Amino acid sequence: MEIKITETTTPSELHAEDTLGFGKVFTDHMFVMDYEEGKGWFDARIVPFQNISLHPASTVLHYGAEIFEGLKAYRRADGGVQLFRPLENIRRMNRSAERMCLPEIEESVMLEILETFVRHEERFVPKSFGTSLYLRPFTFGNDESLGVHAVKRATFMLIASPSGSYYKEGINPVSIMIESEDVRTVRGGTGYAKCGGNYAASTRAGEKAAKKGYSQVLWLDGVERKYIEEVGAMNVMFKIDGEIVTPVLTGSILPGITRKSCIEVLRSLGYTVNERLLSVEELVSAMESGKLEEAWGCGTAAVVSPIGKLAYGDKDYVIGGGKIGAVTQKLYDILTGIQWGKKEDTFGWVYKL
Ligand SMILES: *Cc1c(COP(=O)(O)O)cnc(C)c1O
């Protein structure tokens, strides 16, 4: 594939690595390509990072035709740069595209785009452990008409944000509120797709939780409001009486790559991991009997995020004495070890650039 490159005339200075937050600063360039029905993808280009201009009737602005991905480029101790299971993100983005009637991108093409762009922006990949260059590919519908139908025009973009360590102040367990009114999505809906609309619909519950002093919500299923689904925008896992349980992918849960990796790491260590339905009653009774040993969220941003307190109704339950548990810590050490190239990757997950 031919990618036309226009270099910025005003290269920026790198920010100090300990001042990087998440998603606030961007690299000097962005990747863009356009799509038209009948013509396919065209005009692949790397251009200076800049605002984009959209027709006021553009589909994305009215009907929310948008999907995205999130992955990181990691700096290894030897100075090289690597991705973590990028094909998983590429395949998931295509499944999201299929659900939202947006055009898919061939796997080899998308991999080439990621590789070429990260190489081009390599100087922005920070060096300290825990920091990374966060990559955000996204596709949106861009028809210049208010008609409601599958789009005929779309745009794909890739932007990158040098991001700080998620755990600058150490791994502190979070307080979570079980949400029993709003739901994130329903079976048959768009839960398994990474689309902006799911986030828009989740914001209200997150704000409500924040007002009450919790950092996120634990979602229940949208049909019966009975089964545990996810925590905020992360998948969730529990250790109950020795068994590791994570909600089975029913279609309304986002199939996380960190979730999948946690399951594979745990099984390789000999743990029993069950992907099954887990009701809120079962969880509450495990908390009341002291059988809930650990709970954690998992996703690319945090890797794992221990849950130290869970609220249901007007009751707060403390989990594992409010401290990170042994299994959560082990997962964190193994996954970050592989991602930042400090541990041998026996799974074949890293993709060196
Ligand atoms: C992205 C995302 C996750 C985590 O997926 P990873 O591939 O592990 O980053 C979980 N839940 C939701 C809703 C998400 O959008």
Side-chain angles (χ1 to χ4, degrees):
M1 185 182 45
E2 203 207 320
I3 300 175
K4 187 168 174 260
I5 299 177
T6 310
E7 298 289 346
T8 180
T9 53
T10 53
S12 54
E13 303 236 340
L14 295 181
H15 291 256
E17 294 191 3
D18 58 353
T19 64
L20 297 168
F22 171 72
K24 291 189 297 192
V25 295
F26 295 90
T27 66
D28 280 348
H29 301 87
M30 60 190 193
F31 176 92
V32 192
M33 67 180 177
D34 299 304
Y35 172 90
E36 271 177 37
E37 195 181 57
K39 191 169 170 184
W41 291 104
F42 61 96
D43 266 1
R45 57 205 188 268
I46 290 172
V47 296
F49 191 90
Q50 62 194 282
N51 288 353
I52 56 172
S53 146
L54 290 177
H55 189 281
S58 179
T59 323
V60 66
L61 300 177
H62 301 270
Y63 308 128
E66 192 263 358
I67 55 168
F68 67 94
E69 269 302 325
L71 68 164
K72 291 171 170 174
Y74 306 85
R75 177 80 66 184
R76 292 192 305 270
D78 67 7
V81 171
Q82 65 189 24
L83 305 176
F84 181 74
R85 312 189 80 175
L87 270 174
E88 295 285 337
N89 293 90
I90 292 170
R91 290 178 183 144
R92 184 171 66 191
M93 188 157 185
N94 281 335
R95 292 196 301 271
S96 301
E98 194 278 332
R99 178 63 182 82
M100 306 300 281
C101 290
L102 285 166
E104 297 177 29
I105 299 172
E106 215 180 282
E107 286 176 16
S108 61
V109 170
M110 179 84 110
L111 196 57
E112 189 184 338
I113 293 169
L114 282 171
E115 206 166 336
T116 308
F117 185 69
V118 174
R119 280 224 180 89
H120 191 266
E121 303 298 84
E122 209 223 279
R123 72 182 183 97
F124 290 96
V125 183
K127 296 182 177 60
S128 1
F129 175 71
T131 65
S132 61
L133 182 65
Y134 183 80
L135 305 172
R136 169 54 59 87
F138 57 109
T139 298
F140 56 92
N142 202 4
D143 279 9
E144 299 181 346
S145 126
L146 296 175
V148 180
H149 47 68
V151 295
K152 296 184 167 54
R153 289 168 42 129
T155 301
F156 168 85
M157 297 181 65
L158 169 58
I159 55 176
S161 171
S163 293
S165 173
Y166 193 90
Y167 290 118
K168 232 165 62 180
E169 271 112 48
I171 308 185
N172 291 314
V174 293
S175 303
I176 300 291
M177 189 187 97
I178 300 179
E179 169 62 45
S180 36
E181 287 168 12
D182 286 2
V183 298
R184 196 182 77 91
T185 164
V186 297
R187 264 163 269 163
T190 55
Y192 70 87
K194 221 168 164 71
C195 62
N198 289 345
Y199 278 68
S202 307
T203 309
R204 186 172 75 174
E207 290 298 295
K208 191 170 81 181
K211 272 204 197 101
K212 294 185 177 168
Y214 299 94
S215 58
Q216 259 305 342
V217 300
L218 187 68
W219 297 105
L220 301 181
D221 77 278
V223 179
E224 299 176 71
R225 291 193 181 81
K226 177 173 174 186
Y227 297 106
I228 307 293
E229 297 228 310
E230 296 198 51
V231 56
M234 284 190 270
N235 294 111
V236 67
M237 298 190 170
F238 302 93
K239 183 160 177 262
I240 304 175
D241 207 11
E243 176 200 12
I244 293 169
V245 187
T246 191
V248 62
L249 301 175
T250 51
S252 49
I253 292 173
L254 197 289
I257 295 155
T258 317
R259 173 189 182 278
K260 186 172 179 175
S261 306
C262 284
I263 293 172
E264 289 170 37
V265 165
L266 289 168
R267 288 188 178 148
S268 80
L269 295 173
Y271 287 96
T272 304
V273 185
N274 290 321
E275 297 176 71
R276 63 172 175 86
L277 293 174
L278 172 66
S279 70
V280 67
E281 288 92 343
E282 182 184 346
L283 186 64
V284 168
S285 89
M287 292 193 288
E288 285 183 338
S289 62
K291 286 186 174 157
L292 178 63
E293 299 161 53
E294 295 184 40
W296 65 94
C298 52
T300 297
V303 188
V304 292
S305 172
I307 301 171
K309 205 197 307 175
L310 206 48
Y312 187 55
D314 47 18
K315 238 176 139 177
D316 271 353
Y317 298 90
V318 173
I319 303 164
K323 297 200 182 69
I324 183 168
V327 173
T328 313
Q329 182 72 54
K330 194 176 287 183
L331 279 172
Y332 180 79
D333 293 341
I334 293 175
L335 288 174
T336 58
I338 295 173
Q339 289 167 333
W340 274 271
K342 301 200 303 182
K343 258 197 167 67
E344 195 200 343
D345 169 25
T346 53
F347 297 92
W349 286 340
V350 301
Y351 186 87
K352 294 185 180 180
L353 296 186

